[in-house]
Amino acid sequence: MPVFRREHIAEFQKVSTRQFVTTMADHLRTKFPAECGSQTAERLRQFVSSGMERATSYKVLAEGDVRRYLERMVIHGPDFDTNRRTHWAGQVLRTVRLNGTEKMDAIERLVTQMEGRK
């Protein structure tokens, strides 16, 4: 059985993160062509990396939850967690008793409720 040192694990994590960033950038470009289509690949990867850092700061860690967080960034703006117009999202994200999935589920429910009122 192979023995992995810390530096090996760190390198695996870097590669995995790069792959995830690329996958998410491609996903956003495909799902939101009007918003992301004109962005350079590098700019979109930076957007994703920044969003991943913000999501992590709220303990939003699972891949699917980070994807949903990034999608909200595209829809509501990259500062949707701190913007006064979307204060409801920031309140949910700062709720300590919720895990990342619960936070993103709550945000999705709020969005659905707001869209139902229109």
Side-chain angles (χ1 to χ4, degrees):
M1 176 177 247
V3 176
F4 295 106
R5 296 186 179 144
R6 287 179 203 232
E7 55 270 11
H8 295 136
I9 294 170
E11 191 58 35
F12 289 142
Q13 288 174 331
K14 286 180 192 175
V15 169
S16 178
T17 299
R18 281 194 303 266
Q19 289 174 336
F20 183 73
V21 168
T22 299
T23 298
M24 285 299 99
D26 292 343
H27 166 74
L28 294 177
R29 187 180 305 282
T30 300
K31 186 166 183 170
F32 303 101
E35 295 85 349
C36 301
S38 64
Q39 297 293 322
T40 66
E42 181 58 29
R43 179 75 177 110
L44 202 47
R45 284 192 299 271
Q46 289 173 350
F47 178 84
V48 169
S49 293
S50 172
M52 288 172 60
E53 288 177 20
R54 290 178 82 122
T56 298
S57 75
Y58 294 116
K59 307 292 189 249
V60 175
L61 306 171
E63 286 185 16
D65 297 332
V66 173
R67 177 189 45 78
R68 293 191 293 168
Y69 185 93
L70 293 166
E71 290 172 353
R72 289 290 138 207
M73 284 179 62
V74 172
I75 294 166
H76 299 292
D79 64 342
F80 85 102
D81 57 328
T82 58
N83 191 304
R84 288 188 349 211
R85 289 181 298 114
T86 52
H87 67 279
W88 48 269
Q91 289 173 336
V92 170
L93 290 166
R94 289 186 292 277
T95 304
V96 178
R97 65 180 167 73
L98 299 177
N99 67 36
T101 298
E102 292 167 331
K103 290 175 183 183
M104 295 313 301
D105 288 348
I107 288 171
E108 297 296 325
R109 278 192 304 277
L110 287 169
V111 167
T112 300
Q113 289 172 0
M114 287 185 284
E115 288 173 350
R117 291 183 206 155
K118 291 182 180 180

